[in-house]
């Protein structure tokens, strides 16, 4: 299988899933991947599709894009942000839409999320992949939206 590049949906610092403050992600129960911690004071931020494909789930706080290879990547915007009921999030796509890598999917303000006592860290996970199946994650390094975050070879 040809490796599939998974792009950073937002700019920030790359964080390993073990350091995400949610056991579902930290223990890789939904799959392997990485997270991006957006900087303080970023202001409204477009969260972009990490790869080309079909939007199979589109919530204000999370979305899934299925690549033509069959890989499905979950982008979860913040932790426990489902409790906000979409407040502070603007969705730009609907389920069933085709998106190119880098297409804006959701806009949110990381500073406003933090102001409500929640984490703005954004996990980017290949669903149903084996734990630790993505090697050489650039944790601790800065990444810009649209740059390669990791490659999925499953």
């Amino acid at each position: 299988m040809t490796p599939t590049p998974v792009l950073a949906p937002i700019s920030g610092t790359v964080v390993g899933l073990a350091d995400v403050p949610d056991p579902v992600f930290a223990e890789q129960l939904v799959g392997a991947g990485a997270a991006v911690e957006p900087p303080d004071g970023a202001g409204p931020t477009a969260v972009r599709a990490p790869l080309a494909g079909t939007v199979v789930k589109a919530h204000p706080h999370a979305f899934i894009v299925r690549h033509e290879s069959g890989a499905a990547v979950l982008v979860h915007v913040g932790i426990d942000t489902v409790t906000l009921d979409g407040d502070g999030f603007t969705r730009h796509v609907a389920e069933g839409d085709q998106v190119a890598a880098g297409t804006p999917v959701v806009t949110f303000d990381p500073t406003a999320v933090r102001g409500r006592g929640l984490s703005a860290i954004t996990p980017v996970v290949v669903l149903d992949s084996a734990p630790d199946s993505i090697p050489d994650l650039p944790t601790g390094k800065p990444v810009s939206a649209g740059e390669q975050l990791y490659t999925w070879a499953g």
Side-chain angles (χ1 to χ4, degrees), residues 7 14 18 34 43 47 57 70 77 79-80 83-84 88-89 96 98-99 107 112 116 126 130-131 133 135 147-148:
L7 308 182
V14 180
V47 184
K57 286 288 178 199
V77 185
I79 301 300
D80 294 331
T83 62
L84 299 177
F89 293 79
Q98 295 292 313
V99 293
T107 300
R116 295 177 87 170
V126 179
S133 59
E147 286 182 345
Q148 184 172 304

Side-chain angles (χ1 to χ4, degrees), residues 57-64 74-77 81 89 91 105-106:
K57 286 288 178 199
H59 300 286
H61 70 283
F63 59 91
I64 299 171
L74 165 67
V75 176
H76 200 285
V77 185
T81 47
F89 293 79
R91 197 172 65 189
V105 176
V106 172

